[in-house]
Amino acid sequence: MKARGKTPRPKRGAALKSHAREEPTQVRPVRAGDLPAVIALDATVTGLHKADYWQRVYRRYGVAGQGLRHFLVAVADSRVIGFVIGEVRDWEFGSPPCGWVFAIDVDPRARQKGAGSLMLAAMRERFERVGVTILRTMLASD
């Protein structure tokens, strides 16, 4: 029974509607200007600031990628809110070519809104373009 004069609380886990207009999340290849946001996002999760590491990853997967290697970012409201990195690996341990996602993260403030799913779908599409239909990854057990 609803109490008069009170606004009902949303159900736990329900999304709150916002009157602010938000741009839909877009997934695109990383750009050099995205690196500070990627580095900061990684540091919020790992607690480590690894700028040199991310510069190397960018050179290998961002600049030199886009064939069998991919470094993508999710952008919402002109802000990087996530990243995913993967590549096609073949014949490791006798396994036919497959796609490997070895890094994915979404800003904690933007989680559970579909950005991770969009990034994985974009990675899957890129793998499929080169005939790869299996995508693999590993998760930390903690």
Side-chain angles (χ1 to χ4, degrees), residues 13-114:
L16 295 176
K17 292 183 180 179
S18 170
H19 296 291
R21 186 173 181 161
E22 294 180 6
E23 294 177 19
T25 301
Q26 300 292 317
V27 177
R28 61 166 171 75
V30 69
R31 299 175 185 155
D34 299 328
L35 278 183
V38 169
I39 293 166
L41 174 55
D42 178 62
T44 64
V45 175
T46 65
L48 302 170
H49 187 79
K50 303 178 290 204
D52 292 341
Y53 167 78
W54 285 107
Q55 290 291 336
R56 289 191 307 273
V57 169
Y58 175 72
R59 284 192 300 272
R60 183 170 183 185
Y61 292 89
V63 175
Q66 306 310 314
L68 299 179
R69 297 176 180 157
H70 302 282
F71 186 165
L72 308 175
V73 292
V75 178
D77 297 321
S78 303
R79 184 175 68 87
V80 172
I81 61 165
F83 63 84
V84 63
I85 308 167
E87 65 185 340
V88 173
R89 295 180 184 172
D90 49 1
W91 307 115
E92 288 185 333
F93 306 104
S95 172
C98 63
W100 271 97
V101 169
F102 65 86
I104 186 168
D105 204 353
V106 176
D107 184 319
R109 298 167 295 179
R111 290 182 182 167
Q112 300 297 313
K113 297 179 183 175

Side-chain angles (χ1 to χ4, degrees), residues 98-141:
C98 63
W100 271 97
V101 169
F102 65 86
I104 186 168
D105 204 353
V106 176
D107 184 319
R109 298 167 295 179
R111 290 182 182 167
Q112 300 297 313
K113 297 179 183 175
S117 296
L118 286 173
M119 290 188 296
L120 286 173
M123 189 65 73
R124 184 197 74 232
E125 289 171 8
R126 282 159 175 80
F127 291 155
E128 288 176 344
R129 287 181 202 158
V130 294
V132 172
T133 58
I134 297 171
L135 187 156
R136 295 184 173 149
T137 194
M138 288 189 270
L139 302 173
S141 61

